[in-house]
Amino acid sequence: DTFRTVTLPMLKKRFGCDDGLSLHVAKRGCPPDGGGEVKLSFPIAKELPGGIDWVTEGLVKRVRGVAFTARIPPQMANRLVDGARGVLNNFLPDVYIFTDHHNGKEGGNSPAYGISLVAETTEGCVLGSDCSSASTRKEREKEEDEGRLLLDHRGGTNTKDHEENAEEEDQSQKTPEDYGRECAEALVSEIQRGGVCDSSHQALVLTLLACSPDQICRVRLGQLTPRSIQCLRTIRAFFGVTFNIQPEPESGTVFLSCVGAGMRNVAKRAT
């Protein structure tokens, strides 16, 4: 949902990929067994637009979102919406979150629920955040596997302590309202961070600017994440493009500018 409502609109509006770009969710698939299916239509791009100057972020005017359920009662989606609106309605009234329920074959092979939120600004920027029970369960299973290996290495465990830990885990399980609030708070944090895109899309924006024509491009981002910093190093090693970084202490944002590498798609003809 975040790819459909945040990534694709950004590619359409800022990077000229508009003709036939779409994503349709046919089936929901969640960890650990998956079973999802999406249909992605992407046009052939000869080259990216040059001279991109994307430095104005604007103010948030509305929030949209999607709360989905897969192979579980649809009432869970309403609880997700209630949790998210409990946070967002304190900031602005224009909040609308759709509900999307999938059952049977369309719900994949594993039951789960989640929510994706998008904040739209007056300048056309979109900031997103998402959260799902499937990702949390996957992380919990990984921690349990690591703990089990550690106990085997130590030569066993106390059954009483194991039962007490299991009871504490059951009591600490999150409700749908908690996931909704967590996603809404993450969206508010992205807005507070500043910049024309959220933290999860910083690396993508930097890569596209590095591939743009041989012209000066500018972008305004929030505090750079470790992934974005590593992406800048990779871009310098692969494309030979170095970004000029100018922080703005007043807003906590960073201005980055570069001269694109002039990458062109010459493998296929575009008519």
Side-chain angles (χ1 to χ4, degrees):
D1 292 310
T2 303
F3 187 85
R4 176 176 55 84
T5 57
V6 178
T7 309
L8 297 189
M10 181 182 68
L11 293 176
K12 290 180 180 180
K13 188 177 178 82
R14 300 295 176 179
F15 296 98
C17 302
D18 193 8
D19 187 18
L21 182 61
S22 65
L23 175 71
H24 172 67
V25 180
K27 298 179 182 179
R28 293 283 180 182
C30 301
D33 297 329
E37 178 183 340
V38 297
K39 297 179 181 179
L40 175 64
S41 299
F42 205 92
I44 298 174
K46 292 285 290 185
E47 62 179 350
L48 296 173
I52 297 175
D53 190 27
W54 194 16
V55 297
T56 306
E57 54 188 354
L59 301 176
V60 175
K61 61 180 181 179
R62 62 184 177 184
V63 173
R64 296 292 182 264
V66 177
F68 77 88
T69 57
R71 303 182 70 89
I72 60 174
Q75 291 78 8
M76 290 293 188
N78 298 328
R79 296 175 61 182
L80 287 166
V81 174
D82 292 339
R85 291 183 67 92
V87 176
L88 297 174
N89 284 137
N90 295 325
F91 299 97
L92 73 167
D94 193 358
V95 178
Y96 192 85
I97 304 174
F98 301 88
T99 57
D100 186 17
H101 176 63
H102 289 259
N103 204 354
K105 294 182 179 180
E106 295 182 354
N109 302 323
S110 299
Y113 55 86
I115 185 172
S116 172
L117 298 175
V118 181
E120 302 178 18
T121 70
T122 54
E123 297 294 332
C125 301
V126 284
L127 311 174
S129 66
D130 52 64
C131 183
S132 70
S133 62
S135 59
T136 306
R137 182 170 63 248
K138 186 177 181 181
E139 294 173 357
R140 186 166 62 247
E141 290 176 353
K142 182 179 179 181
E143 293 175 355
E144 290 175 356
D145 292 339
E146 293 176 351
R148 196 176 298 111
L149 292 174
L150 180 61
L151 292 174
D152 292 340
H153 176 71
R154 291 179 177 178
T157 183
N158 190 340
T159 305
K160 183 177 179 180
D161 294 340
H162 180 72
E163 292 176 354
E164 292 177 356
N165 291 335
E167 291 178 359
E168 291 177 0
E169 289 181 359
D170 292 338
Q171 293 176 358
S172 62
Q173 289 183 352
K174 296 180 180 179
T175 63
E177 289 83 0
D178 294 333
Y179 286 107
R181 284 191 293 268
E182 181 179 341
C183 186
E185 291 171 357
L187 181 64
V188 174
S189 299
E190 293 290 350
I191 297 171
Q192 185 180 15
R193 179 189 292 267
V196 297
C197 69
D198 55 55
S199 58
S200 62
H201 287 81
Q202 287 181 358
L204 175 61
V205 171
L206 294 174
T207 304
L208 293 174
L209 291 181
C211 296
S212 63
D214 188 9
Q215 299 179 20
I216 297 178
C217 301
R218 291 201 311 158
V219 68
R220 177 180 183 178
L221 302 178
Q223 183 180 2
L224 296 178
T225 62
R227 180 186 176 191
S228 301
I229 295 173
Q230 182 60 44
C231 181
L232 289 173
R233 295 170 179 162
T234 305
I235 289 173
R236 183 178 61 183
F238 189 82
F239 294 107
V241 174
T242 303
F243 280 82
N244 180 27
I245 303 175
Q246 297 180 349
E248 187 181 67
E250 296 180 359
S251 62
T253 57
V254 180
F255 290 93
L256 296 98
S257 59
C258 74
V259 177
M263 301 294 293
R264 290 176 57 87
N265 181 12
V266 297
K268 294 183 179 180
R269 296 179 59 187
T271 58

